[in-house]
Every structure is written in structure tokens, then in C-alpha cells.
Amino acid sequence: MTSYKANFKVWRGDTGGGGLKDFTVEVNDGEVVLDIIHRIQATQASDLAVRWNCKAGKCGSCSAEINGRPRLLCMTRMSVFSPEETITVTPLRAFPVVRDLVTDVSFNYAKAREVPSFVPPPGVAAGEYRMQQVDVERSQEFRKCIECFLCQDTCHVVRDHEENKASFAGPRFLMRVAELDMHPLDAAAETGLDRKRTAQDEHGLGYCNITKCCSEVCPENIKITDNALIPLKERTVDRKYDPLVWLGNKIHRRGERGTDPE
């Protein structure tokens, strides 16, 4: 096994402020950035705070920024950097720092609660849901999300404009709205809930300008923009502006009111 000394800059601090601290640390073949952070903890900075759990790219806990790019610490191999390169590790920029590399991501859980959940079809008991695979293939991709919130962090609508957070759910939860809207058994419309309208009016779909930065950082390679956000935008625009859809909805509503004198 070969090893070398790497130069790291790791952000240290808390809600009161902080800055980058220099570390020189040993790196061995096959290691990831999280291994090096753990080595810094063990040998040089025992109070360094970092959030992690599975070390397998499935829990989404160890999100941070490496050389300015949102990544999972456990899925970023040291072999992608040259031995002479200085590696900078900082907390997620879009969220408040708790301490060191740990940020307060409660914004995301608040947004998750704002998305109405799946509405079961009436008259069908749990366990009796039946659907064809072809009907769920589009939305099934979105279920791979590990909620690392890297897409939320890199989205410039959240990252660069704190004032947008109140009215913008971010790509992760707009993707959730799209998933539910595509679900073949979701009966939200029968309860009067229009997911397309709420995406635009309540979750800020209009703020998204489809730069695809969210898709670029997704560790599960979910095509968030192409397969969720753009289709959701298209269906929302059709509902709101297509004259044929508008006329069809008007006729449908008149029929429901029983306007036929016979």
C-alpha cells in the first residue's frame, strides 16, 4: 500500500463565525475524503464536528463542499485529486452552520411537511394497490433520493437568495410533487387538491430556471431537471395557459353542475 501526505483546509467554527484551518495528513490507497476527515479527528482535531452514518453513499448524512462543489464525503475518492493538490472542505453553504462541517438542514424538513402526502384511491384498501410497471417507471427514479440535500445546496435560488426560502421548496421537494403528480393511483385531484397548481403557487416552481445544477451533483444520478422539473413545468403551463385544456375544464365543470335542463 502506498501513501502520501496531503494538504487539507477544513472549515472550523460555529454560529459565531470561523475560518479555514490547515492540516497535513496521511492518505492511503483506496481512501475517501471521509476517511481523511476521520483521521484528522483521531490525530489532530478531536473536537472536529462532522455528520456521517453509513459511509456507503446511502444515508445522505455526510454532505459537505469539497473544493467548492457539493459532494458526499464518503463517495469522493482521494484518487480524483493529485497528491500536490490542496483539498478544501467546507460546510454546505446554503444552510446555517451548527459547528465545523455540520449544518442545520431543518429548512428541508419544513419544506417536506408542506407537500401533501399521497392520497390513496377511494375504495381500495392498503395492500390492494395494483398498477402496471410501465405506469410507475417515470416516478420510480425519484424514489432513489437519499435526501443528502446536495441539490438543495447547489440550487442558486436557495444558495444565493436567502429571501427565496420562504416561497421556494427547492428541487428535492418539487421532485416530490412531480412524483406524486405522476403516480397512477394518487387521488389528490378527487379531493380538490391540484398538485400542479400548488407546485406553482405554493412551492415556487416558477423560480426554477432549469440550469440542471441539481442534477449535476446528485449522487444517485437522478435526472431531476429533465425527468421531474421540466415535465412538471410543462403540465403546469398546459393547465394554466392551453386554451383547449381551459375550455375542456370549463365544460367538465359545467357538466358537473348539471346545467343540462333535461
Side-chain angles (χ1 to χ4, degrees):
M1 176 181 293
T2 60
S3 63
Y4 65 93
K5 296 290 186 179
N7 296 315
F8 269 69
K9 289 182 177 292
V10 181
W11 198 90
R12 303 295 313 275
D14 54 27
T15 55
L20 293 171
K21 302 298 181 183
D22 293 318
F23 296 95
T24 301
V25 60
E26 182 178 352
V27 175
N28 300 309
D29 285 345
E31 291 187 318
V32 296
V33 172
L34 184 60
D35 291 319
I36 310 307
I37 295 297
H38 285 166
R39 185 164 295 128
I40 292 173
Q41 280 183 320
T43 61
Q44 302 180 54
S46 60
D47 61 342
L48 173 62
V50 59
R51 183 182 284 129
W52 71 284
N53 186 24
C54 73
K55 200 176 178 290
K58 293 302 177 185
C59 73
S61 299
C62 64
S63 301
E65 297 191 8
I66 303 173
N67 290 352
R69 182 179 176 85
R71 294 176 178 264
L72 292 179
L73 297 177
C74 73
M75 296 300 288
T76 305
R77 295 203 167 274
M78 288 300 299
S79 58
V80 304
F81 308 105
S82 66
E84 301 80 20
E85 187 173 356
T86 297
I87 301 167
T88 302
V89 184
T90 53
L92 297 177
R93 180 176 137 185
F95 308 113
V97 170
V98 176
R99 186 160 70 87
D100 299 337
L101 302 179
V102 177
T103 53
D104 179 2
V105 294
S106 58
F107 160 82
N108 300 288
Y109 300 113
K111 292 301 178 182
R113 288 192 292 270
E114 293 175 3
V115 178
S117 60
F118 171 76
V119 178
V124 182
E128 296 180 356
Y129 302 155
R130 297 293 183 271
M131 64 198 88
Q132 297 296 318
Q133 178 62 32
V134 68
D135 294 327
V136 296
E137 283 176 350
R138 293 180 69 194
S139 61
Q140 195 168 17
E141 175 190 9
F142 312 141
R143 301 291 292 183
K144 297 192 298 181
C145 176
I146 59 175
E147 297 205 327
C148 60
F149 304 130
L150 295 183
C151 63
Q152 299 283 90
D153 178 63
T154 199
C155 178
H156 64 276
V157 180
V158 175
R159 185 182 182 90
D160 299 331
H161 302 279
E162 183 70 23
E163 68 276 12
N164 288 339
K165 287 185 175 180
S167 53
F168 183 63
R172 192 279 169 264
F173 300 106
L174 287 171
M175 181 174 70
R176 173 63 173 159
V177 175
E179 175 194 336
L180 291 168
D181 193 51
M182 294 177 185
H183 198 296
L185 294 183
D186 182 64
E190 298 183 29
T191 68
L193 172 63
D194 185 342
R195 295 196 186 276
K196 301 173 188 64
R197 183 191 61 77
T198 59
Q200 183 74 17
D201 298 345
E202 300 176 19
H203 305 304
L205 179 63
Y207 283 91
C208 171
N209 57 10
I210 57 176
T211 60
K212 300 189 180 183
C213 54
C214 52
S215 300
E216 291 175 359
V217 300
C218 178
E220 289 293 326
N221 298 311
I222 302 171
K223 294 180 173 60
I224 303 171
T225 307
D226 289 341
N227 292 350
L229 304 187
I230 290 176
L232 186 59
K233 277 178 171 285
E234 290 172 342
R235 293 195 302 275
T236 301
V237 169
D238 285 346
R239 174 64 59 87
K240 191 168 185 178
Y241 297 111
D242 189 314
L244 294 179
V245 174
W246 176 85
L247 180 60
N249 289 336
K250 292 286 285 186
I251 294 173
H252 178 68
R253 286 196 294 269
R254 287 183 62 191
E256 287 181 340
R257 290 197 297 266
T259 54
D260 189 341
E262 299 180 2

XYZ file of all heavy atoms in Angstrom, residues 108-178:
569
model
N -35.165 21.938 5.069
C -35.632 20.884 4.171
C -36.769 20.072 4.778
O -37.710 19.688 4.077
C -34.462 19.971 3.809
C -33.348 20.724 3.119
O -33.476 21.125 1.972
N -32.247 20.956 3.836
N -36.704 19.817 6.067
C -37.776 19.058 6.709
C -39.050 19.882 6.799
O -40.158 19.348 6.704
C -37.314 18.572 8.081
C -36.098 17.680 7.981
C -34.874 18.086 8.486
C -36.162 16.446 7.333
C -33.749 17.280 8.365
C -35.055 15.641 7.213
C -33.848 16.064 7.725
O -32.734 15.275 7.590
N -38.892 21.192 6.969
C -40.068 22.070 6.966
C -40.739 22.048 5.593
O -41.968 21.992 5.484
C -39.657 23.487 7.344
N -39.929 22.081 4.524
C -40.488 22.039 3.179
C -41.135 20.683 2.888
O -42.150 20.604 2.184
C -39.398 22.337 2.151
C -38.888 23.767 2.204
C -40.012 24.764 1.966
C -39.553 26.198 2.049
N -40.663 27.169 1.865
N -40.558 19.615 3.425
C -41.137 18.284 3.222
C -42.545 18.210 3.809
O -43.444 17.596 3.211
C -40.240 17.224 3.851
N -42.727 18.827 4.967
C -44.045 18.799 5.611
C -45.081 19.609 4.840
O -46.289 19.396 5.012
C -43.940 19.312 7.050
C -43.235 18.347 7.999
C -43.411 18.770 9.438
N -42.703 20.017 9.728
C -41.450 20.087 10.145
N -40.743 18.982 10.325
N -40.878 21.253 10.403
N -44.652 20.526 3.999
C -45.586 21.362 3.244
C -46.143 20.658 2.008
O -47.103 21.144 1.400
C -44.893 22.662 2.827
C -44.552 23.579 4.001
C -43.749 24.795 3.566
O -43.520 24.938 2.330
O -43.337 25.579 4.429
N -45.535 19.530 1.624
C -46.006 18.804 0.439
C -47.081 17.796 0.868
O -46.783 16.885 1.647
C -44.851 18.066 -0.259
C -45.371 17.265 -1.459
C -43.779 19.055 -0.708
N -48.322 17.948 0.414
C -49.375 16.980 0.787
C -48.972 15.568 0.370
O -48.448 15.352 -0.719
C -50.594 17.477 0.006
C -50.324 18.925 -0.242
C -48.842 19.038 -0.429
N -49.220 14.622 1.238
C -48.791 13.245 1.002
C -49.676 12.549 -0.031
O -50.686 13.088 -0.489
C -48.815 12.455 2.310
O -50.125 12.438 2.861
N -49.282 11.344 -0.368
C -50.038 10.504 -1.298
C -51.468 10.312 -0.804
O -51.706 10.048 0.375
C -49.328 9.148 -1.417
C -50.099 8.104 -2.165
C -50.188 8.136 -3.549
C -50.719 7.061 -1.484
C -50.894 7.161 -4.244
C -51.418 6.082 -2.163
C -51.508 6.130 -3.551
N -52.416 10.453 -1.722
C -53.828 10.262 -1.393
C -54.279 8.930 -1.987
O -54.327 8.776 -3.213
C -54.694 11.404 -1.958
C -56.168 11.151 -1.629
C -54.243 12.748 -1.408
N -54.602 7.940 -1.145
C -54.996 6.622 -1.667
C -56.277 6.709 -2.486
O -57.152 7.542 -2.212
C -55.211 5.788 -0.396
C -54.515 6.534 0.693
C -54.591 7.981 0.325
N -56.420 5.857 -3.477
C -57.660 5.852 -4.262
C -58.828 5.389 -3.395
O -58.677 4.475 -2.567
C -57.362 4.848 -5.385
C -56.266 3.974 -4.850
C -55.453 4.855 -3.951
N -59.991 5.982 -3.554
C -61.136 5.600 -2.721
C -61.579 4.164 -3.001
O -61.554 3.699 -4.145
C -62.225 6.604 -3.138
C -61.810 7.085 -4.494
C -60.323 7.064 -4.505
N -61.946 3.475 -1.942
C -62.463 2.123 -2.089
C -61.413 1.057 -2.261
O -61.755 -0.112 -2.475
N -60.131 1.427 -2.164
C -59.046 0.453 -2.297
C -58.277 0.412 -0.983
O -57.739 1.422 -0.543
C -58.096 0.811 -3.454
C -57.002 -0.243 -3.593
C -58.869 0.948 -4.760
N -58.230 -0.759 -0.363
C -57.565 -0.888 0.926
C -56.059 -0.936 0.750
O -55.536 -1.310 -0.306
C -58.050 -2.152 1.647
N -55.335 -0.550 1.801
C -53.878 -0.650 1.779
C -53.483 -2.104 1.517
O -54.044 -3.031 2.096
C -53.296 -0.174 3.099
N -52.530 -2.310 0.656
C -52.113 -3.658 0.287
C -52.809 -4.172 -0.945
O -52.435 -5.218 -1.482
N -53.833 -3.450 -1.401
C -54.568 -3.863 -2.596
C -54.258 -2.987 -3.808
O -54.896 -3.116 -4.843
C -56.077 -3.834 -2.321
C -56.508 -4.839 -1.261
C -58.007 -4.791 -0.997
O -58.683 -3.913 -1.600
O -58.496 -5.608 -0.203
N -53.287 -2.075 -3.658
C -52.938 -1.208 -4.776
C -52.352 -2.042 -5.906
O -51.482 -2.882 -5.684
C -51.914 -0.152 -4.361
C -52.344 0.732 -3.217
C -51.397 1.343 -2.409
C -53.687 0.968 -2.959
C -51.775 2.160 -1.362
C -54.076 1.789 -1.912
C -53.122 2.377 -1.105
O -53.502 3.181 -0.074
N -52.821 -1.832 -7.104
C -52.314 -2.542 -8.268
C -52.050 -1.540 -9.384
O -52.880 -0.669 -9.658
C -53.312 -3.602 -8.755
C -53.593 -4.705 -7.749
C -52.365 -5.585 -7.500
N -52.669 -6.669 -6.583
C -52.550 -6.582 -5.259
N -52.129 -5.436 -4.707
N -52.834 -7.611 -4.489
N -50.901 -1.651 -10.023
C -50.559 -0.773 -11.138
C -49.563 -1.488 -12.034
O -48.911 -2.444 -11.608
C -49.987 0.549 -10.628
C -48.670 0.418 -9.886
S -48.275 1.852 -8.876
C -49.116 1.387 -7.341
N -49.450 -1.047 -13.257
C -48.507 -1.630 -14.202
C -47.134 -0.983 -14.043
O -47.036 0.219 -13.756
C -49.007 -1.432 -15.639
C -50.323 -2.124 -15.941
C -50.202 -3.639 -15.837
O -49.224 -4.232 -16.295
N -51.215 -4.262 -15.235
N -46.090 -1.776 -14.247
C -44.738 -1.250 -14.128
C -44.516 -0.063 -15.053
O -43.870 0.926 -14.687
C -43.709 -2.347 -14.427
C -42.262 -1.888 -14.386
C -41.846 -1.371 -13.016
O -42.339 -1.847 -11.994
N -40.958 -0.393 -12.994
N -45.073 -0.125 -16.264
C -44.882 0.957 -17.217
C -45.441 2.271 -16.695
O -44.972 3.362 -17.067
C -45.511 0.592 -18.581
C -47.035 0.525 -18.474
C -45.072 1.565 -19.666
N -46.441 2.194 -15.810
C -47.060 3.404 -15.279
C -46.246 4.058 -14.173
O -46.500 5.219 -13.828
C -48.459 3.084 -14.737
C -49.428 2.666 -15.836
O -49.264 3.196 -16.961
O -50.307 1.837 -15.584
N -45.304 3.334 -13.594
C -44.535 3.892 -12.473
C -43.056 4.093 -12.806
O -42.308 4.591 -11.968
C -44.645 2.991 -11.216
C -46.072 2.945 -10.726
C -44.109 1.598 -11.476
N -42.653 3.737 -14.004
C -41.237 3.824 -14.341
C -40.698 5.250 -14.246
O -39.571 5.471 -13.812
C -40.986 3.262 -15.747
C -40.989 1.733 -15.764
C -40.842 1.168 -17.160
O -40.938 1.959 -18.128
O -40.634 -0.043 -17.278
N -41.501 6.226 -14.644
C -41.025 7.610 -14.613
C -40.803 8.080 -13.175
O -39.776 8.636 -12.844
C -42.013 8.533 -15.311
C -42.121 8.289 -16.806
C -43.113 9.246 -17.421
N -42.635 10.610 -17.415
C -43.415 11.671 -17.653
N -44.694 11.497 -17.885
N -42.911 12.885 -17.638
N -41.785 7.843 -12.321
C -41.670 8.352 -10.949
C -40.807 7.472 -10.061
O -40.331 7.921 -9.015
C -43.067 8.500 -10.338
O -43.734 7.256 -10.278
N -40.577 6.223 -10.462
C -39.779 5.313 -9.638
C -38.348 5.814 -9.484
O -37.714 5.614 -8.439
C -39.785 3.919 -10.264
C -39.293 2.823 -9.332
C -39.585 1.436 -9.886
O -39.858 1.275 -11.063
N -39.541 0.442 -9.031
N -37.832 6.486 -10.507
C -36.480 7.033 -10.443
C -36.311 7.965 -9.244
O -35.276 7.961 -8.579
C -36.179 7.796 -11.736
C -34.848 8.516 -11.728
C -34.670 9.454 -12.916
O -35.664 9.671 -13.651
O -33.549 9.958 -13.104
N -37.340 8.736 -8.937
C -37.238 9.745 -7.887
C -37.168 9.120 -6.495
O -36.738 9.762 -5.539
C -38.412 10.723 -7.968
C -38.660 11.245 -9.358
C -39.950 11.427 -9.827
C -37.602 11.526 -10.205
C -40.183 11.904 -11.110
C -37.818 11.996 -11.494
C -39.113 12.181 -11.951
N -37.591 7.854 -6.386
C -37.563 7.178 -5.095
C -36.148 6.804 -4.677
O -35.928 6.374 -3.549
C -38.430 5.910 -5.150
C -39.889 6.156 -5.502
C -40.641 6.864 -4.427
N -40.812 6.049 -3.235
C -41.480 6.410 -2.158
N -42.047 7.599 -2.113
N -41.591 5.605 -1.133
N -35.191 6.970 -5.576
C -33.795 6.682 -5.223
C -33.187 7.775 -4.356
O -32.087 7.599 -3.833
C -32.946 6.529 -6.489
C -33.330 5.373 -7.391
C -32.268 5.136 -8.455
C -32.091 6.310 -9.365
N -31.068 6.078 -10.413
N -33.864 8.894 -4.215
C -33.324 10.033 -3.464
C -32.960 9.633 -2.032
O -33.755 9.009 -1.325
C -34.358 11.157 -3.436
S -33.857 12.576 -2.439
N -31.735 9.993 -1.614
C -31.278 9.685 -0.245
C -31.357 10.916 0.655
O -30.898 10.890 1.792
C -29.841 9.131 -0.248
C -28.866 10.139 -0.869
C -29.795 7.794 -1.003
C -27.409 9.710 -0.785
N -31.918 12.005 0.140
C -32.079 13.253 0.891
C -30.759 13.720 1.502
O -30.678 14.031 2.684
C -33.188 13.114 1.926
C -34.545 12.857 1.288
C -35.730 13.291 2.124
O -35.636 13.211 3.356
O -36.740 13.698 1.522
N -29.747 13.773 0.652
C -28.468 14.355 1.062
C -28.532 15.874 1.008
O -27.685 16.557 1.596
C -27.351 13.850 0.157
S -27.582 14.248 -1.601
N -29.509 16.407 0.279
C -29.765 17.836 0.112
C -28.649 18.562 -0.637
O -28.531 19.790 -0.537
C -30.034 18.509 1.468
C -31.158 17.868 2.224
C -31.004 17.489 3.556
C -32.379 17.605 1.615
C -32.027 16.879 4.251
C -33.418 17.001 2.314
C -33.243 16.638 3.642
N -27.850 17.811 -1.399
C -26.853 18.465 -2.246
C -27.530 19.294 -3.335
O -27.052 20.369 -3.700
C -25.924 17.429 -2.875
C -25.028 16.632 -1.923
C -24.125 15.698 -2.713
C -24.192 17.558 -1.045
N -28.658 18.786 -3.853
C -29.383 19.547 -4.874
C -29.937 20.838 -4.298
O -29.932 21.888 -4.960
C -30.501 18.701 -5.486
S -31.798 18.207 -4.338
N -30.392 20.786 -3.064
C -30.891 21.989 -2.401
C -29.759 23.002 -2.205
O -29.940 24.205 -2.358
C -31.507 21.623 -1.049
C -32.688 20.665 -1.114
C -33.968 21.348 -1.562
O -34.259 21.412 -2.756
N -34.732 21.862 -0.628
N -28.587 22.475 -1.855
C -27.446 23.348 -1.570
C -26.927 24.033 -2.818
O -26.551 25.205 -2.782
C -26.322 22.528 -0.926
C -25.089 23.376 -0.642
O -25.196 24.321 0.163
O -24.018 23.089 -1.208
N -26.906 23.310 -3.936
C -26.323 23.892 -5.154
C -27.300 24.753 -5.928
O -26.883 25.543 -6.780
C -25.781 22.774 -6.078
O -24.854 23.321 -6.996
C -26.897 22.094 -6.850
N -28.588 24.637 -5.651
C -29.594 25.440 -6.354
C -29.396 26.912 -6.009
O -29.537 27.317 -4.859
C -31.006 24.995 -5.967
S -32.299 25.983 -6.749
N -29.101 27.713 -7.010
C -28.782 29.119 -6.743
C -29.970 29.904 -6.209
O -29.788 30.937 -5.568
C -28.251 29.779 -8.020
C -29.251 29.840 -9.124
N -29.479 28.788 -9.987
C -30.117 30.814 -9.496
C -30.419 29.125 -10.848
N -30.835 30.318 -10.572
N -31.189 29.412 -6.450
C -32.376 30.104 -5.927
C -32.357 30.088 -4.398
O -32.763 31.057 -3.746
C -33.663 29.451 -6.463
C -34.899 30.164 -5.920
C -33.678 29.461 -7.983
N -31.847 29.003 -3.816
C -31.709 28.893 -2.361
C -30.345 29.394 -1.920
O -30.217 30.133 -0.933
C -31.904 27.423 -1.912
C -31.638 27.268 -0.430
C -33.307 26.940 -2.257
N -29.317 28.998 -2.656
C -27.930 29.257 -2.254
C -27.589 30.748 -2.199
O -26.901 31.214 -1.297
C -27.006 28.531 -3.239
C -25.529 28.571 -2.919
C -24.761 27.839 -4.017
N -23.336 27.791 -3.775
C -22.719 26.823 -3.114
N -23.409 25.827 -2.618
N -21.403 26.847 -2.958
N -28.073 31.492 -3.191
C -27.681 32.888 -3.322
C -28.747 33.884 -2.892
O -28.488 35.090 -2.904
C -27.298 33.186 -4.784
C -26.120 32.356 -5.262
O -25.278 31.998 -4.411
O -26.049 32.045 -6.461
N -29.924 33.387 -2.527
C -31.014 34.305 -2.191
C -31.774 33.777 -0.977
O -32.759 33.047 -1.110
C -31.959 34.472 -3.385
C -31.290 34.981 -4.627
N -31.010 36.310 -4.833
C -30.802 34.314 -5.715
C -30.397 36.457 -6.003
N -30.259 35.266 -6.549
N -31.320 34.150 0.187
C -31.948 33.695 1.427
C -33.424 34.049 1.467
O -34.254 33.300 2.007
C -31.220 34.326 2.618
C -31.719 33.898 3.987
C -31.371 32.451 4.320
O -30.405 31.927 3.724
O -32.050 31.869 5.181
N -33.774 35.179 0.861
C -35.160 35.639 0.904
C -36.109 34.722 0.143
O -37.330 34.789 0.322
C -35.264 37.069 0.357
C -34.998 37.218 -1.134
C -33.518 37.335 -1.493
O -32.668 37.070 -0.617
O -33.214 37.684 -2.652
N -35.582 33.854 -0.726
C -36.438 32.958 -1.507
C -36.903 31.737 -0.721
O -37.840 31.043 -1.149
C -35.703 32.476 -2.759
C -35.538 33.568 -3.800
O -36.272 34.559 -3.795
N -34.568 33.410 -4.681
N -36.251 31.449 0.384
C -36.530 30.200 1.085
C -37.985 30.088 1.548
O -38.540 28.990 1.599
C -35.588 30.036 2.272
C -34.160 29.695 1.882
C -33.303 29.425 3.108
C -31.905 28.976 2.713
N -31.057 28.698 3.889
N -38.593 31.209 1.875
C -39.969 31.165 2.381
C -40.946 30.665 1.321
O -41.947 30.009 1.651
C -40.385 32.544 2.871
N -40.658 30.947 0.051
C -41.627 30.626 -1.003
C -41.115 29.625 -2.027
O -41.777 29.393 -3.045
C -42.038 31.919 -1.732
O -40.905 32.641 -2.183
N -39.957 28.987 -1.781
C -39.389 28.046 -2.738
C -39.016 26.751 -2.037
O -38.228 26.748 -1.096
C -38.154 28.663 -3.396
C -37.524 27.796 -4.462
C -38.221 27.474 -5.611
C -36.238 27.307 -4.311
C -37.647 26.685 -6.602
C -35.650 26.531 -5.287
C -36.354 26.214 -6.440
N -39.590 25.641 -2.510
C -39.352 24.346 -1.869
C -38.003 23.758 -2.242
O -37.454 22.941 -1.505
C -40.461 23.365 -2.242
N -37.461 24.122 -3.384
C -36.194 23.563 -3.836
C -36.406 22.325 -4.691
O -37.478 21.712 -4.699
N -35.366 21.922 -5.439
C -35.519 20.814 -6.388
C -35.914 19.495 -5.761
O -36.668 18.727 -6.356
C -34.134 20.723 -7.051
C -33.212 21.484 -6.170
C -34.034 22.531 -5.519
N -35.436 19.214 -4.540
C -35.774 17.922 -3.949
C -37.283 17.786 -3.763
O -37.878 16.731 -4.022
C -35.047 17.739 -2.607
C -35.126 16.291 -2.072
C -36.447 16.012 -1.366
N -36.656 14.604 -1.071
C -37.335 13.765 -1.813
N -37.850 14.156 -2.969
N -37.520 12.515 -1.455
N -37.939 18.838 -3.293
C -39.357 18.719 -2.952
C -40.266 19.054 -4.126
O -41.411 18.599 -4.166
C -39.645 19.553 -1.697
C -38.818 19.063 -0.542
C -37.729 19.781 -0.101
C -39.074 17.827 0.027
C -36.927 19.299 0.924
C -38.269 17.333 1.050
C -37.198 18.067 1.499
N -39.784 19.806 -5.092
C -40.518 19.911 -6.353
C -40.505 18.566 -7.065
O -41.486 18.185 -7.710
C -39.906 21.004 -7.226
C -40.181 22.435 -6.762
C -39.352 23.421 -7.563
C -41.664 22.776 -6.851
N -39.404 17.841 -6.928
C -39.346 16.478 -7.470
C -40.357 15.583 -6.765
O -40.987 14.729 -7.390
C -37.936 15.906 -7.309
C -37.769 14.496 -7.858
S -36.055 13.915 -7.794
C -35.818 13.709 -6.016
N -40.552 15.775 -5.477
C -41.541 15.004 -4.729
C -42.955 15.305 -5.230
O -43.780 14.400 -5.397
C -41.430 15.317 -3.235
C -42.509 14.711 -2.361
C -42.503 13.207 -2.374
N -43.451 12.651 -1.406
C -43.936 11.429 -1.463
N -43.560 10.600 -2.430
N -44.783 11.000 -0.564
N -43.227 16.582 -5.499
C -44.529 16.949 -6.057
C -44.733 16.286 -7.416
O -45.801 15.742 -7.714
C -44.658 18.481 -6.186
C -45.973 18.850 -6.876
C -44.594 19.147 -4.818
N -43.683 16.303 -8.247
C -43.768 15.672 -9.569
C -44.009 14.173 -9.441
O -44.804 13.588 -10.177
C -42.485 15.938 -10.351
